[in-house]
Amino acid sequence: MMFWILAAVMTVAVTISLLVPLMRPRKKDIDAREFDVEVYSDQLREIERDINIGSLSGQEAEYARAEVGRRLIKASKAEADHAAASTDLTRFGRLAVIIFLPFMALAGYLAVGQPGMPAQPLAARVEPVPDSNSNIQALVAQAERHLASNPQDGKGWDVLAPIYLGLNRMHDSETAYRNAIRLLGSTAARQAGLGQSLFSQSGGIVTAEVQEAFQKAQDLQPDNPLSAYFLALGLAQEGKNEQARADFVKLAENSPPDAAWMPLVREHIQRLGTVAGMGTDQAQGQTAVVIPDSAAPGSDAPGPDAPGPSAEDVAAASQMSNEERLDMIAGMVAGLDAKLRENPDDSAGWLRLIRSHMVLGQRDKAGDALSRALDHFGADNADRQVLLAMASQLGLEPKELKQ
Amino acid sequence: MIVELGHYALIMALATALLQSVLPIIGARTRDAGLMGVAPAAAIASFVLILFAFVALTVSYVTSDFSVKNVWENSHSMMPMIYKFSGVWGNHEGSMMLWLLILVFFSALVAFFGGNLPATLKSNVLAVQAWITSAFLTFVLLTSNPFQRLSPAPLEGRDLNPILQDIGLAIHPPMLYLGYVGFSICFSFAVAALIDGRIDAAWARWVRPWTLAAWTALTAGIAMGSYWAYYELGWGGWWFWDPVENASFMPWLAGTALLHSALVMEKREALKIWTILLAIMTFSLSLLGTFLVRSGVLTSVHAFATDPTRGIFILCILVAFIGGAFTLFALRAQTLSPGGLFAPISREGALVLNNLFLTTATATVLVGTLYPLVLEAITGAKISVGPPFFNLTFGPLMIPLLLAVPFGPLLAWKRGDLWAVTQRLYMAAGAALLVSLAVIYFATGAPVMAGLGIGLGVWLIAGSLTDIAMRSGVGKVALPIMWRRFKGLPRSAFGGALAHMGLGVSVIGIVAVTAFATENVVTMKPGETTVGGPFTLQFEGLKPNTGPNYTELQGRFIILRDGQPVSHLTAAKRVFTARQMPTTEAGIYTNGANQLYVALGDELPGGGVVVRVWWKPWVTFIWFGAIFMSLGGIVSLFDRRLRIGAPAKSRAPAVAVGQET
């Protein structure tokens, strides 16, 4: 509302300022000739000055004086040129100003402006209490500014790191945890946090780096359930099912039965228990359903663009017999494979396909998929680097790549 | 709210400018005092409105209001306050706002100080100014609106391009634009005169202060830009014949020609048609410069082709104004009566010579600037026309012009005596010759051309002094009379002499630095020394340092002369955190007119670093000369002749038009 009042004041002020000359044209109009006369008289005076100080003399002075004199006579002999004070056109002018000015300004502004939008200076946005997500963002921004100028403030990094983790900014949280560890030393919480950041960045694979971080956390605090969980998960992904199951069981025993992570842990125990009796090839396949996108404690949820098995699929799978379950998984993998033949640009899809083959124990098929993917992505493609990095993580050898 | 009010004011300014474009012209045609009276009122109103919009944008920058897209794109909350200010015009949208602000500022000045102009001329001039204002306001509102909003507002801005985070940016563009845009007034006067059909000596007198003001500002702006590039880019060069530089240099060359030809028109009513043409050409070159810089066509013709909205728009403005003005010129040129006659050897003749050389030089620069663009557009080949082209074409054009400069002011109007003038200049010629020989003799191994070049500079300076001395009657009259004459000389005489002297000073600087500069690229470890001119530079070591929004690695040096430390010097490599962009901060030690210029290169393992050391003798003369030229312009602006009052004595006492600029 205030905006419109001020805009109206502005409009009225400008309109009036343009109307004033149209309402009261200057009464005494000056003859246009007189302006010329003024200039030429001044030129004459200048010549006189030059003659007086002696810088102009003789014939040159005479010529100059005569020439300007001629101009002066010509100017004063010209026809009188007076302007009329007011004509019909003046009335037209008034009308034009009154109608055109406000209309054009308003129409123009409504077309491009955003009248309701307040100014939002940074100072006004950063200060308020953190009671919403946007204010957390503001606090983070404030902390970032502080850390940019005081990069040695370990406490600042330590505070910021878990917030990044919560905000799903995994790369930033990794940096923050590393800085906190560098400046304040290693603790179980910091190592576990670092491990989580790395785990999420590796796409749900317990890489050597992840394992190292959690191992350090467990060394510092052996009863930390978070590190126990991820280390066990790592074992399962390596195919060491017996050991993994034992570790999960130990974790379950050490945890209160109503702990938040218990359902997940029980699920792992159940799966590993079921597969323990089967051949190792199939056993690895069983863990596949859970691992790649597993909702481990504190880790991020699967991205919306990763079409893994839906909750219903997983629920259905748990009701199936082993054979049916393997069929379902094989069907899903085959579907993905077909999809990638049609649309080979989907690098995330390739990653999923290769990983699925690996956990199903189909090493040759994984190698096959990898070489198809590598064929598709050219030598200097960034996706190719990602694929190669994952291949080395999964232990696919270069010679297998060439198949 | 202030943001939206600023936006509203900008649109209001367009409405006002449109009325100002139409009503005063009708008024001038029909001699309607009321409609003509709208012109000054509207000019002042649009100035106030655009000033308000500009202030609103500045407030957004200062308070880091990232809900304004333009602020988000070009600012950062951590930026020092001065760069938050200068950041306003450190980007496309903001610089167009500054362009507009200065344009309406000049209109308002004409409205305010134009009491000595006939009402019809004043109305027409302001109407033509309003055409330009309307065109550029439309351009800003449609393609480059600085008031676009973002919701929700981002938390942090993207930072200003680090190269632009410098005090040079705070001053250089406003000065440059004062010159660039100032020539719009000359253009408007020319078009107004063509519309009116009346062009005489009085017109030249009226337009003179505006030309002078614009020329003075442009001279200072170009010099500042040159110094800024010199110390900020870290390449040690002061002029690169870069298209952006040429874009400002062309209006300067044409404007200089205009300044001189308007003199002839004012004194002798000759060269009328030519002067009008130059006035149109000068501003056309300003517009062309704006197009080249603002359309992105310079980065790449193809980049321009992919997003041509802005470029096409400015191109349309360019074509409409230049084409329109030249059409009007073609229609009216025959009806203009020819002016006074003069012999080839005369002040007029000398000024014609000046104009011939300056316009040819302008054409040369224009070809060198546009040719690569045209070639790329047609064949796709990317070539760059660099210093070799300009040195071969522009240089030879300048030498005869510079040789002729001292003759001009000494020649009489109408019919001069070249032999008499040459006799009067024998002292200046002698001084120039002596200095040339001295340079060739003392600077062992110096090219002969360098000696002659410095002699040319001395010739210009001595010639200017001779001019003042002759006018005062040195050697002819007694000392008291001489003093009286000297005091009585018009300021414009001093201004002209000062400007020509400045030219000489610049020439000396340019020649000296071209011929005698030394460059030394070495790898240095702490404690090692290298030589720069008469000084020895000792490297102390590298030290990290943190600024408000950057981190830097400082290289510290001690400057020794004959083994004794005389000063310190710090060169640095900065990384601006927000954009992760590195810049080089040159370390400069000024000793008299000479400079020791140090730039850091790559760091080497083991604490070593690549260091480039330039010794630049007399380099500051280049910019001092430009300052002299600008001072000459200012002194001329205060000439009594420019203070012609309005005819009616009842009005307030007349004021020098230039005082405010």
Side-chain angles (χ1 to χ4, degrees):
Chain A
M1 195 56 210
M2 195 59 192
F3 166 79
W4 287 115
I5 294 171
L6 289 175
V9 169
M10 196 188 286
T11 316
V12 170
V14 174
T15 312
I16 289 177
S17 78
L18 294 200
L19 277 179
V20 167
L22 288 165
M23 302 306 280
R24 297 187 298 119
R26 190 174 301 143
K27 293 205 181 69
K28 265 194 191 164
D29 176 62
I30 305 161
D31 188 343
R33 287 178 304 179
E34 287 178 35
F35 290 91
D36 286 349
V37 170
E38 191 75 16
V39 170
Y40 299 134
S41 327
D42 187 73
Q43 281 190 327
L44 269 187
R45 285 195 291 275
E46 185 194 330
I47 291 171
E48 295 308 321
R49 270 199 305 274
D50 283 353
I51 294 173
N52 272 340
I53 63 165
S55 64
L56 197 67
S57 58
Q59 211 179 22
E60 210 183 325
E62 276 316 303
Y63 279 146
R65 204 184 277 161
E67 196 171 302
V68 176
R70 276 200 298 278
R71 279 182 221 155
L72 189 56
I73 292 165
K74 193 179 154 205
S76 35
K77 272 189 180 168
E79 276 176 44
D81 186 356
H82 276 282
S86 180
T87 63
D88 286 345
L89 281 167
T90 319
R91 278 188 289 283
F92 158 75
R94 276 178 227 155
L95 213 62
V97 170
I98 293 173
I99 295 171
F100 179 76
L101 205 59
F103 178 77
M104 159 93 197
L106 195 67
Y109 180 73
L110 286 178
V112 290
Q114 300 190 24
M117 196 158 164
Q120 299 172 34
L122 190 67
R125 285 185 289 142
V126 172
E127 273 159 18
V129 207
D131 55 357
S132 70
N133 193 40
S134 74
N135 278 320
I136 290 180
Q137 304 266 8
L139 278 180
V140 169
Q142 223 172 17
E144 278 169 347
R145 268 198 296 285
H146 166 76
L147 284 170
S149 46
N150 306 292
Q152 300 303 316
D153 179 5
K155 274 201 180 132
W157 290 115
D158 202 31
V159 170
L160 198 54
I163 298 175
Y164 278 141
L165 203 60
L167 291 173
N168 227 340
R169 290 168 63 175
M170 294 304 169
H171 186 72
D172 290 329
S173 73
E174 182 197 334
T175 314
Y177 273 120
R178 284 196 195 280
N179 279 329
I181 290 168
R182 179 171 57 86
L183 295 163
L184 300 179
S186 187
T187 67
R190 285 176 201 142
Q191 290 291 356
L194 175 62
Q196 273 175 283
S197 322
L198 293 167
F199 176 76
S200 299
Q201 289 181 74
S202 74
I205 303 243
V206 182
T207 59
E209 233 182 347
V210 177
Q211 202 171 14
E212 189 196 339
F214 282 114
Q215 194 60 56
K216 278 186 186 157
Q218 201 175 35
D219 293 348
L220 288 162
Q221 188 192 351
D223 59 344
N224 186 334
L226 204 58
S227 39
Y229 174 85
F230 278 99
L231 288 173
L233 187 63
L235 290 172
Q237 285 183 358
E238 282 172 40
K240 298 174 180 164
N241 290 324
E242 290 298 336
Q243 221 177 324
R245 184 169 185 275
D247 283 359
F248 275 126
V249 169
K250 208 165 104 193
L251 175 59
E253 281 164 3
N254 292 339
S255 307
D258 56 345
W261 55 87
M262 278 309 287
L264 261 173
V265 173
R266 283 198 201 100
E267 201 177 327
H268 277 293
I269 294 170
Q270 196 207 342
R271 284 185 204 298
L272 291 166
T274 346
V275 296
M278 299 161 51
T280 32
D281 276 11
Q282 290 162 323
Q284 282 178 339
Q286 289 306 304
T287 53
V289 185
V290 193
I291 294 160
D293 303 319
S294 72
S299 88
D300 57 331
D305 55 339
S310 67
E312 293 89 64
D313 288 343
V314 177
S318 64
Q319 307 294 320
M320 294 173 188
S321 71
N322 283 335
E323 223 161 289
E324 286 169 331
R325 210 175 311 176
L326 279 174
D327 281 350
M328 186 189 98
I329 294 165
M332 273 161 36
V333 173
L336 184 57
D337 192 80
K339 222 183 278 174
L340 284 169
R341 281 180 198 278
E342 275 171 32
N343 172 28
D345 278 329
D346 177 13
S347 64
W350 283 111
L351 288 174
R352 235 177 9 257
L353 180 66
I354 296 163
R355 209 184 287 142
S356 306
H357 280 308
M358 280 306 280
V359 290
L360 285 171
Q362 300 159 331
R363 210 178 167 78
D364 49 340
K365 285 194 179 170
D368 185 42
L370 181 61
S371 55
R372 262 164 57 207
L374 291 178
D375 280 348
H376 175 70
F377 295 109
D380 47 352
N381 196 306
D383 291 326
R384 188 186 172 89
Q385 302 309 316
V386 176
L387 282 163
L388 284 171
M390 192 201 62
S392 69
Q393 259 182 12
L394 292 174
L396 278 173
E397 292 299 317
K399 58 175 179 271
E400 285 174 275
L401 305 182
K402 282 178 192 140
Q403 291 180 358
Chain B
M1 190 171 58
I2 176 114
V3 186
E4 291 303 315
L5 274 178
H7 199 172
Y8 185 74
L10 201 60
I11 295 163
M12 194 86 204
L14 176 60
T16 313
L18 286 171
L19 284 174
Q20 188 192 336
S21 307
V22 180
L23 297 184
I25 290 262
I26 304 176
R29 279 268 131 191
T30 57
R31 299 288 187 273
D32 182 306
L35 287 180
M36 286 198 276
V38 170
I44 290 169
S46 3
F47 172 63
V48 172
L49 285 169
I50 293 184
L51 182 68
F52 181 84
F54 194 82
V55 167
L57 187 62
T58 310
V59 168
S60 310
Y61 266 89
V62 170
T63 59
S64 295
D65 184 345
F66 299 125
S67 72
V68 180
K69 189 166 167 238
N70 185 246
V71 179
W72 169 68
E73 279 171 343
N74 299 291
S75 190
H76 193 280
S77 60
M78 298 285 293
M79 234 159 50
M81 191 47 86
I82 173 145
Y83 302 141
K84 284 186 183 169
F85 268 106
S86 64
V88 176
W89 55 81
N91 60 83
H92 170 78
E93 287 82 357
S95 78
M96 287 316 298
M97 282 294 286
L98 184 68
W99 213 99
L100 275 173
L101 182 66
I102 291 176
L103 187 67
V104 286
F105 171 67
F106 272 106
S107 308
L109 282 182
V110 173
F112 208 76
F113 293 109
N116 59 353
L117 302 176
T120 50
L121 180 65
K122 188 173 165 185
S123 307
N124 284 337
V125 166
L126 287 175
V128 177
Q129 280 290 113
W131 298 349
I132 307 171
T133 314
S134 308
F136 277 93
L137 265 172
T138 315
F139 170 71
V140 165
L141 283 170
L142 291 186
T143 73
S144 320
N145 195 330
F147 290 108
Q148 268 180 20
R149 305 296 296 271
L150 286 173
S151 184
L155 278 154
E156 195 45 274
R158 287 189 184 167
D159 205 5
L160 178 64
N161 185 340
I163 291 185
L164 303 180
Q165 293 190 26
D166 186 273
I167 190 75
L169 175 76
I171 317 165
H172 163 63
M175 290 301 283
L176 201 61
Y177 279 9
L178 274 174
Y180 245 50
V181 181
F183 283 119
S184 71
I185 295 285
C186 308
F187 175 86
S188 298
F189 266 92
V191 174
L194 287 172
I195 293 174
D196 237 9
R198 271 192 57 232
I199 300 165
D200 46 30
W203 180 89
R205 165 79 48 110
W206 286 319
V207 83
R208 183 167 173 75
W210 304 103
T211 319
L212 259 177
W215 181 87
T216 304
L218 190 57
T219 308
I222 292 176
M224 200 156 323
S226 154
Y227 191 66
W228 177 47
Y230 169 75
Y231 76 76
E232 181 66 25
L233 296 182
W235 300 334
W238 52 273
W239 191 261
F240 299 98
W241 291 111
D242 176 273
V244 178
E245 288 172 323
N246 294 348
S248 64
F249 194 46
M250 288 186 284
W252 187 85
L253 286 171
T256 311
L258 172 64
L259 206 57
H260 288 92
S261 81
L263 266 179
V264 180
M265 180 163 168
E266 183 185 334
K267 281 279 188 190
R268 298 290 333 278
E269 240 183 82
L271 299 187
K272 286 197 287 195
I273 298 171
W274 173 244
T275 305
I276 295 280
L277 188 66
L278 266 182
I280 295 173
M281 255 167 36
T282 305
F283 185 61
S284 302
L285 289 167
S286 295
L287 282 179
L288 180 71
T290 310
F291 166 71
L292 289 178
V293 176
R294 287 286 140 230
S295 66
V297 74
L298 287 179
T299 350
S300 155
V301 172
H302 301 295
F304 166 65
T306 42
D307 181 21
T309 340
R310 284 176 179 169
I312 296 281
F313 205 117
I314 304 186
L315 203 60
C316 289
I317 296 179
L318 196 78
V319 169
F321 278 95
I322 301 178
F326 279 121
T327 311
L328 193 62
F329 178 80
L331 290 176
R332 290 281 190 174
Q334 302 96 319
T335 65
L336 300 175
S337 59
L341 301 171
F342 56 86
I345 303 290
S346 61
R347 181 89 66 92
E348 295 93 320
L351 289 166
V352 169
L353 187 78
N354 150 306
N355 270 237
L356 281 178
F357 275 104
L358 281 174
T359 41
T360 314
T362 314
T364 310
V365 178
L366 185 68
V367 168
T369 311
L370 292 188
Y371 178 70
L373 296 178
V374 174
L375 191 74
E376 193 192 344
I378 294 172
T379 67
K382 236 178 150 39
I383 62 159
S384 108
V385 171
F389 169 81
F390 293 102
N391 291 345
L392 265 178
T393 53
F394 187 81
L397 272 174
M398 282 298 111
I399 291 168
L401 177 62
L402 295 178
L403 279 174
V405 163
F407 287 95
L410 285 170
L411 279 167
W413 290 103
K414 216 164 178 181
R415 187 182 300 117
D417 184 344
L418 190 61
W419 179 239
V421 173
T422 315
Q423 280 178 319
R424 285 187 227 166
L425 278 169
Y426 75 94
M427 291 253 286
L433 207 62
L434 215 62
V435 171
S436 299
L437 290 173
V439 169
I440 295 169
Y441 182 77
F442 285 110
T444 30
V448 175
M449 286 307 283
L452 295 179
I454 288 177
L456 185 60
V458 174
W459 163 247
L460 283 166
I461 297 172
S464 310
L465 293 174
T466 310
D467 174 36
I468 294 292
M470 289 298 151
R471 286 184 194 225
S472 313
V474 172
K476 279 192 204 156
V477 293
L479 206 60
I481 303 175
M482 212 169 77
W483 177 241
R484 195 169 63 88
R485 276 208 200 177
F486 181 78
K487 279 197 302 181
L489 285 180
R491 295 250 171 89
S492 62
F494 288 112
L498 209 56
H500 287 166
M501 229 158 85
L503 194 60
V505 172
S506 286
V507 166
I508 292 178
I510 292 167
V511 173
V513 87
T514 312
F516 303 120
T518 56
E519 186 184 349
N520 202 358
V521 185
V522 284
T523 311
M524 293 181 92
K525 286 189 174 168
E528 289 183 345
T529 58
T530 186
V531 177
F535 296 100
T536 305
L537 203 61
Q538 186 176 12
F539 184 42
E540 281 189 288
L542 292 171
K543 185 178 161 291
N545 183 39
T546 312
N549 54 346
Y550 59 84
T551 56
E552 64 178 2
L553 205 57
Q554 289 182 339
R556 304 204 163 186
F557 299 86
I558 304 176
I559 299 168
L560 306 157
R561 182 163 205 166
D562 306 324
Q564 297 298 312
V566 286
S567 185
H568 289 272
L569 184 149
T570 307
K573 285 171 62 161
R574 277 186 192 163
V575 176
F576 283 78
T577 28
R579 292 198 181 192
Q580 285 298 312
M581 184 163 163
T583 66
T584 311
E585 297 293 309
I588 297 175
Y589 170 64
T590 308
N591 174 263
N594 317 309
Q595 289 191 329
L596 193 63
Y597 186 108
V598 178
L600 290 186
D602 291 328
E603 221 181 322
L604 299 169
V609 68
V610 175
V611 182
R612 286 171 164 267
V613 182
W614 281 275
W615 169 247
K616 296 191 168 287
W618 294 7
V619 67
T620 52
F621 269 37
I622 298 174
W623 303 292
F624 274 122
I627 292 172
F628 275 134
M629 286 190 241
S630 299
L631 278 178
I634 292 170
V635 170
S636 282
L637 265 177
F638 284 96
D639 194 285
R640 184 171 14 193
R641 288 184 301 166
L642 302 182
R643 278 180 244 176
I644 315 160
K649 301 297 176 220
S650 58
R651 290 176 61 87
V655 192
V657 196
Q659 271 174 355
E660 293 300 305
T661 48

